[in-house]
Amino acid sequence: MDNAKTAYEAILGLAAEMVLDEAVLKFRTERIYRAIDSALVEGDKDTFRRLAEELNALRH
C-alpha cells in the first residue's frame, strides 16, 4: 500500500509541476506579446526583434 501511495504522490507532484510550468509559460508569453505591441507602437525595432527572439525561444 505504501508503494501505491508513494507512486500516487509522485504523479500528483508531476501533474502540479506541469500545471505550474504551463502557467509560467502563459504568463511570460502574454508579457512578451504586450511588450511587442508596445515596441511596435513606439517603432522600436531593436526591442521588437529581441522580444520576437525571446518569444520564439519560448516556443521551442
Side-chain angles (χ1 to χ4, degrees):
M1 192 66 158
D2 286 334
N3 286 340
K5 182 179 178 184
T6 302
Y8 180 71
E9 289 173 352
I11 291 170
L12 283 180
L14 289 173
E17 187 175 339
M18 289 172 62
V19 169
L20 181 60
D21 287 346
E22 185 65 30
V24 169
L25 178 62
K26 183 178 178 183
F27 173 81
R28 290 180 65 196
T29 301
E30 289 174 359
R31 180 188 57 83
I32 292 170
Y33 273 121
R34 284 193 303 271
I36 285 173
D37 288 344
S38 293
L40 287 171
V41 168
E42 296 170 8
D44 187 347
K45 292 179 184 179
D46 293 332
T47 299
F48 171 81
R49 287 187 186 120
R50 180 182 54 80
L51 291 167
E53 288 174 7
E54 187 177 339
L55 184 61
N56 285 333
L58 280 179
R59 292 180 176 170
H60 295 104

